[in-house]
Amino acid sequence: MSWTSILADLIGATILFAVPLLLVALGGMFSERSGVINIALEGIMIVGALCSCLTLVGLDKSGFGAAHPQLGMLIAILVAAASGAVFSLLLAFASINLRADQTIGGTALNMLAPAFAIVLTWAVQGQGQTTILIPTWTRITQDNFGIEKADTFFQNLIFKSFYLTTVVAVILFICAYVLMYKTRFGLRLRSCGEHPQAADSVGINVFKMRYAGVIISGCLGGIGGLAFTVAAGSGFQSSVAGYGFLALAVMIFGNWKPFTILGASLFFALFKIIGSYSDSIPFLPSFKNVNSSEYIYLMLPYVVTMIVLILTSKHSRAPKAEGIPYDKGTR
Amino acid sequence: MKQYFKSKGFITVLASVISILVGLLIGFILLIVFNPAYALGGLGSIITKGLSSSDKFAKVLYQAAPLIMTGLSVGFAFKTGLFNIGATGQYTVGAFCALVAGVQFRLPWWVCLIAAMIGGAVWGFIPGICKALFNVNEVITSIMFNWLGLFMVNLLLNNMPMMLANYWGASNKDRTAALASANPSAIIPKLGLDKLFDSNYMNISIFIAVLIAVLIFIILEKMTFGYELKACGFNKDASIYAGINAKRNIVLSMVISGALAGIGGGIYYLSGTAQYTIVKSLLSMGFNGIPVALLGASSPIGIIFAALFISYIQVGGEALQPEYAKEIIDIIIAVIIYLSAFSLLVKNILGKFIKTDTGNVNAEGPAKEPPKPEPEKATEEKGGNEQ
């Protein structure tokens, strides 16, 4: 392989893995800036991925998917968003209405989601069948645009791993920024995460705003789950490999702000990809004398995150009221 | 005063029992939905399998011992205001240290357990120091240390040929050596219990775990040291004002919490029946410490019973296969935790009544025992400070 095609692969794969991190971290941002700690993102991702993958399989079997591939993918994305939102209502209900401990509620949902996914996959696909395979038509190829295949840098960069989720992520990122900073809704949402008592005193319904925050995070988390499964490539196996938690780290590292979150997710994804491409990148050490040196590269993103979190923690500014159930009596 | 504690304990137990019953009910509904023909038998095996034979009961105890330890780890951190989601990483590192001490250095079992404790403590220390010095959220750090611990252990094991089973004559090299062939003195003694229960699973580890639970109870409830730790979790600013070194206490809490999880890994893998398998997913035994701690309301004594219960229904769940996926048990456990988040609310409402109660007691004369700080109240207290 020439170095240009390696570079194209590297950038393409980085973007592919940055998409789920970006979406889920943005989701976490909406929830936390409204004042609800959303540790359930991992579970929300799993539920979103589960429902959308089942949808994709259904569309594949009926023949609709092969006929209208990108429309099918869009339906799957909508299903992912809807299922994530419904699942996140469980968190919203416990932490907003019942003022339960948000971390505990989230942990329960994180346990529930993979177990539910395994049980449902068994029930749908038969005993011991734990993988839901994603149909191949979901990928956007040169054929979709009527371009001839060629081994050029840009074609390698774009078409090697191009899915509708990437496009949707870019659109949603812009929407998220505008919604958070340029609309009245965004201002109100943020105020509920900083000082809900003050927000309430000027007539903002804190409960409604927090519900909105959690539901938006559910939508984004669900789509993120689908984006992860698409990126992982080996089908849905009732797990998103800790990406929900990684997205939480991205969100904190991104200081709860959209643009820094974008940077942080690209940064993380790059370090993850360097690990899996370590064999084909010439200037990286290959650790010839070490058995299973892939673990060294698997550890890399976490080590880097740790160092970055330690270095940036002084500037880190979490929403003031996050994690505290709102009680009207405390005004 | 006595009556109040009695009633509070009673409400806690009642709340847990209600959550368990609702959890089992939802599990039963799932059994009916997925495979109605076997549903009743399935529920029966969840409820009765653990007592069906002395071998099964021995297995319940055998799995309960490490669960008690990881439950104590999470519960201890809860009591001191920290959420140690990293118990599974500390458990893995503890298991690794115990096995290295046993297989590579051929040390006796109690030295291996101490090694496990130290390994877990180190893995708890790092998130603790990051929290204390740099104010990095311990939830994020310990999640990352779960993966770091797992990958590091796998990497090291693959580079220590003596640790793997194939060095000792077995064919598979994806797991650690069987202690029986590598170093029998590293196996936790059975003291004839295996003959009594007629089961290979039985050894003294359940007694070790219960003993440590009692020790933790004494530290938390009867010692100044434990009180200081809890005070930090209850209200950090107030405890600093009262002259408690909060930073030191955060680190100490995480170290102790990690050590407990580490011992858990040690007693499971030193049993002689378990071999550590090199996989790329986190060990569930560590994560199950979270439901154990929540179900046991973070109290060491409650944790013992919670661990026995969870181990019991897990043994029942294994009998569900192949008609159902055994993960139905995980759904039941998750529902129980979700409901226990509500039960905190019930207890908080009750707590408001109790507050006026203790107020009266204080008016009559100083109470002998100060009201006990609890993590779930800490959030409420923070909300109060906000205004």
Side-chain angles (χ1 to χ4, degrees):
Chain A
M1 275 206 285
S2 65
W3 70 270
T4 48
S5 75
I6 293 176
L7 189 67
D9 275 7
L10 206 63
I11 297 173
T14 302
I15 292 172
L16 186 68
F17 275 95
V19 163
L21 284 178
L22 171 68
L23 285 170
V24 180
L26 283 176
M29 175 188 84
F30 272 100
S31 171
E32 301 222 343
R33 298 214 62 174
S34 76
V36 180
I37 292 183
N38 194 346
I39 208 171
L41 283 170
E42 177 99 356
I44 292 173
M45 281 178 83
I46 291 176
V47 168
L50 170 74
C51 294
S52 55
C53 287
L54 286 176
T55 310
L56 282 174
V57 169
L59 289 174
D60 189 45
K61 277 190 182 146
S62 70
F64 178 86
H68 312 277
Q70 293 318 312
L71 188 61
M73 191 64 176
L74 188 66
I75 293 173
I77 290 174
L78 292 177
V79 168
S83 55
V86 169
F87 191 66
S88 70
L89 283 177
L90 285 173
L91 175 72
F93 179 66
S95 54
I96 301 170
N97 290 86
L98 297 178
R99 288 188 273 130
D101 188 304
Q102 297 169 2
T103 336
I104 296 175
T107 308
L109 296 183
N110 279 339
M111 280 195 74
L112 183 64
F116 180 71
I118 292 174
V119 171
L120 197 67
T121 315
W122 267 53
V124 171
Q125 301 206 326
Q127 283 170 17
Q129 298 287 317
T130 49
T131 307
I132 305 178
L133 289 171
I134 294 183
T136 45
W137 45 260
T138 50
R139 191 161 73 92
I140 301 176
T141 57
Q142 284 91 332
D143 301 337
N144 296 57
F145 294 93
I147 309 171
E148 237 175 85
K149 270 184 196 161
D151 195 23
T152 61
F153 176 75
F154 284 105
Q155 288 216 2
N156 278 339
L157 175 65
I158 294 172
F159 290 112
K160 198 129 196 182
S161 40
F162 189 33
Y163 293 92
L164 192 62
T165 42
T166 313
V167 183
V168 169
V170 173
I171 298 170
L172 284 178
F173 172 75
I174 298 166
C175 292
Y177 175 76
V178 173
L179 188 63
M180 191 62 115
Y181 287 102
K182 305 289 175 196
T183 63
R184 208 186 305 177
F185 170 80
L187 182 65
R188 290 181 172 176
L189 187 93
R190 282 180 285 145
S191 73
C192 290
E194 295 295 331
H195 203 309
Q197 289 83 9
D200 196 4
S201 71
V202 293
I204 298 170
N205 188 335
V206 177
F207 278 21
K208 257 190 198 163
M209 282 295 146
R210 290 195 166 178
Y211 255 98
V214 175
I215 290 173
I216 292 174
S217 83
C219 288
L220 291 169
I223 301 175
L226 175 62
F228 170 80
T229 316
V230 161
S234 52
F236 176 67
Q237 294 164 331
S238 303
S239 139
V240 290
Y243 256 61
F245 292 124
L246 210 57
L248 276 179
V250 166
M251 180 194 70
I252 292 175
F253 177 24
N255 220 350
W256 292 267
K257 291 193 180 85
F259 276 98
T260 35
I261 285 178
L262 174 66
S265 45
L266 285 170
F267 176 83
F268 262 92
L270 178 67
F271 273 97
K272 163 145 185 85
I273 292 306
I274 284 180
S276 38
Y277 277 75
S278 57
D279 299 336
S280 48
I281 304 175
F283 55 86
L284 284 178
S286 56
F287 302 103
K288 283 245 159 47
N289 302 325
V290 183
N291 292 331
S292 18
S293 57
E294 78 264 19
Y295 286 112
I296 298 176
Y297 286 108
L298 281 172
M299 287 161 80
L300 192 65
Y302 299 99
V303 175
V304 174
T305 316
M306 273 311 305
I307 295 168
V308 170
L309 281 179
I310 288 172
L311 291 179
T312 57
S313 61
K314 287 260 147 59
H315 308 287
S316 169
R317 224 188 67 61
K320 259 199 186 125
E322 71 165 6
I324 306 161
Y326 179 59
D327 183 356
K328 276 204 170 186
T330 58
R331 262 182 306 178
Chain B
M1 202 68 182
K2 240 180 192 172
Q3 220 169 6
Y4 138 56
F5 276 117
K6 251 186 194 167
S7 73
K8 186 165 175 269
F10 177 70
I11 291 286
T12 310
V13 171
L14 193 71
S16 292
V17 169
I18 291 173
S19 324
I20 288 171
L21 288 179
V22 176
L24 285 174
L25 183 71
I26 290 179
F28 184 49
I29 293 171
L30 284 173
L31 292 181
I32 294 175
V33 168
F34 287 120
N35 202 340
Y38 296 98
L40 216 55
L43 185 71
S45 82
I46 292 176
I47 295 175
T48 59
K49 200 72 189 175
L51 279 174
S52 63
S53 69
S54 67
D55 181 53
K56 287 278 183 249
F57 186 66
K59 198 170 183 196
V60 170
L61 295 181
Y62 161 75
Q63 288 185 350
L67 273 180
I68 291 174
M69 297 312 302
T70 50
L72 280 176
S73 165
V74 179
F76 187 84
F78 266 141
K79 283 262 180 191
T80 57
L82 298 164
F83 185 29
N84 178 18
I85 203 167
T88 174
Q90 294 141 13
Y91 175 87
T92 312
V93 173
F96 171 74
C97 292
L99 289 171
V100 168
V103 178
Q104 191 98 17
F105 297 106
R106 320 190 60 76
L107 295 164
W109 65 276
W110 55 273
V111 184
C112 298
L113 272 190
I114 293 172
M117 188 177 86
I118 294 169
V122 169
W123 227 241
F125 170 78
I126 308 172
I129 201 94
C130 286
K131 166 94 176 175
L133 292 187
F134 307 107
N135 201 24
V136 183
N137 190 324
E138 83 277 6
V139 177
I140 293 299
T141 345
S142 45
I143 286 167
M144 287 197 288
F145 267 80
N146 283 341
W147 292 98
L148 280 175
L150 178 78
F151 293 149
M152 186 192 72
V153 166
N154 287 355
L155 178 69
L156 290 175
L157 281 179
N158 274 326
N159 288 288
M160 298 168 94
M162 223 178 127
M163 292 296 298
L164 299 176
N166 56 347
Y167 184 89
W168 302 91
S171 59
N172 32 14
K173 58 179 220 172
D174 65 331
R175 60 194 62 197
T176 55
L179 287 177
S181 57
N183 178 13
S185 70
I187 297 176
I188 294 176
K190 300 187 190 294
L191 296 183
L193 284 166
D194 52 335
K195 301 221 170 53
L196 186 67
F197 280 84
D198 194 23
S199 164
N200 254 336
Y201 291 121
M202 198 56 209
N203 58 25
I204 60 165
S205 58
I206 183 79
F207 301 107
I208 298 175
V210 169
L211 203 70
I212 293 172
V214 172
L215 190 72
I216 293 295
F217 176 79
I218 293 169
I219 289 177
L220 277 175
E221 305 298 330
K222 305 289 172 205
M223 284 170 63
T224 322
F225 171 62
Y227 185 83
E228 284 191 3
L229 291 182
K230 285 195 295 182
C232 272
F234 187 46
N235 189 334
K236 195 176 155 194
D237 299 322
S239 53
I240 292 172
Y241 187 71
I244 298 172
N245 187 341
K247 286 187 174 175
R248 191 199 63 156
N249 279 355
I250 288 173
V251 178
L252 272 178
S253 297
M254 283 304 286
V255 166
I256 294 173
S257 176
L260 290 168
I263 297 174
I267 53 180
Y268 187 69
Y269 289 101
L270 291 177
S271 61
T273 34
Q275 284 164 284
Y276 179 87
T277 319
I278 297 172
V279 285
K280 279 188 187 170
S281 54
L282 297 172
L283 301 174
S284 62
M285 193 68 89
F287 273 124
N288 284 339
I290 300 171
V292 167
L294 292 173
L295 199 59
S298 302
S299 126
I301 308 303
I303 284 169
I304 298 175
F305 291 104
L308 283 170
F309 169 75
I310 293 210
S311 170
Y312 183 83
I313 62 168
Q314 273 177 342
V315 168
E318 280 159 22
L320 284 179
Q321 311 223 57
E323 279 83 16
Y324 304 98
K326 68 172 190 299
E327 277 74 11
I328 284 197
I329 297 300
D330 289 345
I331 297 184
I332 295 176
I333 296 172
V335 169
I336 292 171
I337 307 173
Y338 187 71
L339 294 173
S340 75
F342 293 0
S343 75
L344 293 183
L345 176 88
V346 178
K347 274 183 263 172
N348 275 352
I349 293 169
L350 199 86
K352 275 176 193 154
F353 289 108
I354 292 164
K355 250 180 210 163
T356 54
D357 222 58
T358 43
N360 289 340
V361 172
N362 283 340
E364 282 160 19
K368 271 183 189 166
E369 261 185 291
K372 295 184 177 176
E374 274 175 48
E376 63 261 28
K377 279 190 193 159
T379 49
E380 214 181 57
E381 205 68 17
K382 259 190 241 160
N385 289 341
E386 209 60 28
Q387 27 177 340

